[in-house]
């Protein structure tokens, strides 16, 4: 059973399986958190170059967030001790920042989630490191298109399955694999909330979309098969066939006539090229 609860301004929010419907205070809070996520991803672009370590990029994210009054939601989240996730090439998601350096030709996802005044802005983008092969660039482009086609279906009267189906059909039209093991999620006062936003599905199925629903859409798309495995570290998810994987993520809120993208880049840098 899907149940929806309206959340009044300042009301405590529990992670209890119900879908929250936030009001104008929620939209205002998410605009601020989403903007900081977008500004962080914008500011990272000139630093994502060959030779930089992913730990240096994590340090940049932590400092940028704290300097602006935010807190990285991933810091000390379920034992995770970094300020973002950095997933290179065949890493699907949850790559852990380390001393490993980026190299020419890599494709990299950086996923940030600043908390501002209790509101969570969750977003990720792909970055191209130096000269990237055309096949990899195409994967990145199509993955961004998948996200935006999903967002185009996010409006009252539609169901979550309409979003999922738009993503799946575009990816599969290009013979890519859509990852099943990780999904988008409700968010707002909490980081990961109901509903689960899966990236495969059939039109007209799943929970109906209502104004005030806040959730992420974050498709992970593989050049090869959809299958993933999680490494020994308990976090890093990779494609089983070692094929390249890409992901973009926005946090959105359903409005009366569509949706608002909280994490849109203020400078139009939502997808590469960023220069
Ligand atoms: N930001 C990720 C998401 O999109 C979650 C990362 S949780 C972490 O939901 F602990 F791995 F950082
Ligand atoms: Co994220
Ligand atoms: Co997310």
């Amino acid at each position: 059973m899907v149940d929806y609860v309206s959340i009044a301004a300042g009301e405590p929010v529990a992670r209890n399986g119900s879908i929250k419907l936030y009001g104008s205070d929620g939209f205002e809070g998410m605009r601020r958190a989403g903007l900081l996520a977008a500004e962080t991803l914008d500011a990272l672009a000139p630093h994502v170059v060959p030779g930089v370590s992913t730990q240096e990029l994590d340090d940049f994210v932590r400092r940028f967030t704290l300097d602006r009054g935010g807190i990285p939601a991933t810091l000390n989240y379920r034992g995770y001790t970094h300020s973002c996730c950095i997933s290179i090439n065949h890493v699907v998601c949850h790559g852990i920042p380390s001393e490993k350096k980026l190299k020419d030709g890599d494709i990299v996802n950086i996923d940030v989630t600043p908390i501002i005044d209790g509101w969570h802005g969750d977003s990720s983008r792909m970055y191209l490191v130096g000269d990237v092969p055309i096949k990899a660039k195409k994967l990145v482009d199509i993955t961004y298109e998948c996200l935006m086609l999903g967002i185009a279906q996010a409006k009252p009267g539609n169901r979550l399955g309409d979003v999922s189906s738009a993503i799946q059909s575009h990816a599969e039209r290009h013979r890519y694999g859509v990852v099943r093991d990780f999904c988008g999620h409700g968010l707002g006062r909490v980081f990961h909330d109901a509903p689960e936003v899966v990236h495969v599905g059939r039109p007209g199925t799943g929970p109906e979309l209502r104004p005030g629903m806040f959730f992420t859409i974050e498709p992970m798309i593989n050049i090869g098969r959809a299958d993933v495995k999680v490494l020994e570290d308990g976090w890093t998810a990779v494609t089983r066939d070692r094929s390249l994987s890409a992901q973009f993520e926005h946090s959105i809120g359903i409005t009366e006539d569509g949706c608002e993208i909280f994490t849109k880049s203020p400078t139009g840098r939502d997808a590469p090229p960023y220069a």
Side-chain angles (χ1 to χ4, degrees):
M1 257 317 286
V2 189
D3 101 284
Y4 297 82
V5 289
S6 293
I7 305 297
E11 186 182 334
V13 167
R15 209 188 145 183
N16 55 7
S18 59
I19 293 176
K20 279 68 173 187
L21 303 177
Y22 292 97
S24 56
D25 62 301
F27 279 86
E28 281 160 27
M30 288 300 285
R31 259 171 224 144
R32 295 181 57 218
L35 178 60
L36 180 53
E39 288 172 338
T40 308
L41 295 173
D42 280 4
L44 275 166
H47 300 281
V48 185
V49 292
V52 73
S53 76
T54 55
Q55 183 57 55
E56 290 173 293
L57 297 174
D58 189 72
D59 292 341
F60 180 91
V61 170
R62 190 180 57 255
R63 172 154 317 177
F64 192 93
T65 307
L66 296 174
D67 283 351
R68 285 156 187 79
I71 300 167
T74 56
L75 258 187
N76 306 314
Y77 176 77
R78 300 175 180 221
Y80 195 83
T81 56
H82 292 80
S83 299
C84 63
C85 297
I86 306 186
S87 304
I88 307 172
N89 295 336
H90 69 290
V91 179
V92 171
C93 64
H94 302 165
I96 305 173
S98 71
E99 294 315 313
K100 189 184 166 89
K101 290 175 163 51
L102 299 184
K103 57 180 200 315
D104 190 65
D106 285 345
I107 61 168
V108 183
N109 176 275
I110 305 182
D111 190 336
V112 301
T113 310
I115 309 172
I116 291 267
D117 292 338
W119 298 99
H120 295 70
D122 190 3
S123 186
S124 81
R125 296 181 200 157
M126 296 301 295
Y127 297 81
L128 308 178
V129 182
D131 269 325
V132 168
I134 188 122
K135 269 195 174 184
K137 263 191 195 156
K138 185 187 161 198
L139 172 70
V140 169
D141 290 346
I142 301 299
T143 303
Y144 181 66
E145 288 171 16
C146 284
L147 170 61
M148 297 314 287
L149 288 167
I151 289 175
Q153 295 300 318
K155 54 187 175 197
N158 268 4
R159 291 176 179 270
L160 225 31
D162 296 299
V163 172
S164 316
S165 163
I167 293 166
Q168 181 180 13
S169 44
H170 193 58
E172 291 182 352
R173 186 176 306 138
H174 292 276
R175 301 173 186 277
Y176 292 150
V178 182
V179 171
R180 269 68 166 171
D181 305 63
F182 300 95
C183 51
H185 48 92
L187 86 173
R189 303 297 286 182
V190 289
F191 189 178
H192 292 116
D193 205 353
E196 279 194 353
V197 179
V198 297
H199 302 107
V200 296
R202 282 177 300 118
T205 65
E208 64 175 273
L209 302 179
R210 297 192 189 170
M213 270 176 83
F214 296 169
F215 56 90
T216 72
I217 306 178
E218 46 182 302
M220 286 142 276
I221 308 293
N222 305 342
I223 280 190
R225 299 184 61 87
D227 310 72
V228 312
K229 70 173 178 196
V230 175
L231 301 186
E232 296 284 278
D233 61 29
W235 287 103
T236 314
V238 300
T239 55
R240 279 192 179 269
D241 62 8
R242 298 233 143 199
S243 66
L244 290 179
S245 185
Q247 178 180 30
F248 286 87
E249 174 177 28
H250 272 315
S251 297
I252 68 169
I254 302 297
T255 60
E256 293 301 325
D257 57 359
C259 72
E260 177 172 341
I261 305 176
F262 297 126
T263 47
K264 224 172 163 34
S265 166
T267 60
R269 290 179 172 82
D270 289 290
Y274 300 124

